[in-house]
Amino acid sequence: MKFFIDTANIDQIKEANDLGILDGVTTNPSLMAKEGIKGQDNILKHYVDICNIVDGDVSAEVIATDFDGIVKEGEALAELHPQIVVKVPMIKDGIKAIRYFTDKGIKTNCTLVFSPGQAILAAKAGATYVSPFIGRLDDISNEGVELIQQIVNIYTIHGFETEVLAASIRHSMHIIGCAEAGADVVTCPLDPILGLLKHPLTDIGLEKFLADHNKK
Ligand code: E4P
């Protein structure tokens, strides 16, 4: 299972990358705005900065919602850096654009996916990644991790090559659930990744080992 970090914050990307477990980055317009990255030139430069930190795929999301606009923006993003994956929303023109990008050899991430039917369409269009948002489903009393399991099952039965990228992860147990469900990738903020490190018995055990070592 690959680990992506879901942020546009350079310090957090560097921290996760320094751990040696990072396989890529996902961003979205809200995450870019949160870091105060505004204006087309700054946004494009920021994507390149991220690509220069991490050795892996970096999802950059289009803003356009019509086919021509998505294609124009996506092609410009893809030209920025070989690691860029064009992130396209799960809408009719988005699916058409994903097919277009797939045929041109441009990697895509189909975002804002909330149902197995949407995931089937993304795979049929040849998306490199499909991003089901599990935290947002939990927010409305649906089982986000169950959706991951459903999509993984469908893709396995039908041999779809699209990778299941579990998104909208809120806590460490989401990561465990996605791992059990067979997600190919989890994209998470830094805290849930660091949360995986924690166990009180590790802390107690280490304290005891060090105390015993220092006994005279
Ligand atoms: C996916 O790629 C999105 O950037 C992200 O995971 C959305 O998460 P949120 O629901 O916490 O905003």
Side-chain angles (χ1 to χ4, degrees), residues 49-63:
D49 289 346
I50 293 173
C51 290
N52 288 333
I53 298 169
V54 179
D55 185 15
D57 285 347
V58 174
S59 286
E61 189 159 341
V62 298
I63 304 299

Side-chain angles (χ1 to χ4, degrees), residues 7 11 20 28-29 41 44 55 60 80 88 90 92 104 129 133 144 163 169 182 185 190 193:
T7 184
D11 290 339
N28 65 38
D41 288 352
L44 299 184
D55 185 15
L80 275 181
V88 180
M90 165 43 74
K92 202 170 176 185
K104 289 199 83 178
Y129 299 103
F133 278 35
E163 292 188 49
I169 283 179
V185 191
L190 184 60
I193 299 176

Side-chain angles (χ1 to χ4, degrees), residues 6 26-28 31 87 109 111 131 133 135-136 165 167-170 187:
D6 193 31
T26 52
T27 62
N28 65 38
L31 293 172
K87 201 171 178 190
N109 175 354
T111 190
S131 287
F133 278 35
R136 293 191 195 186
L165 192 169
S168 184
I169 283 179
R170 303 278 164 76
T187 189

Side-chain angles (χ1 to χ4, degrees), residues 130-149:
V130 64
S131 287
F133 278 35
I134 66 172
R136 293 191 195 186
L137 279 173
D138 287 359
D139 288 345
I140 57 158
S141 307
N142 278 243
E143 282 286 352
V145 172
E146 265 179 26
L147 175 63
I148 301 297
Q149 183 73 70

Side-chain angles (χ1 to χ4, degrees), residues 102-116:
T102 304
D103 292 345
K104 289 199 83 178
I106 293 173
K107 284 184 169 190
T108 54
N109 175 354
C110 184
T111 190
L112 289 168
V113 166
F114 293 92
S115 77

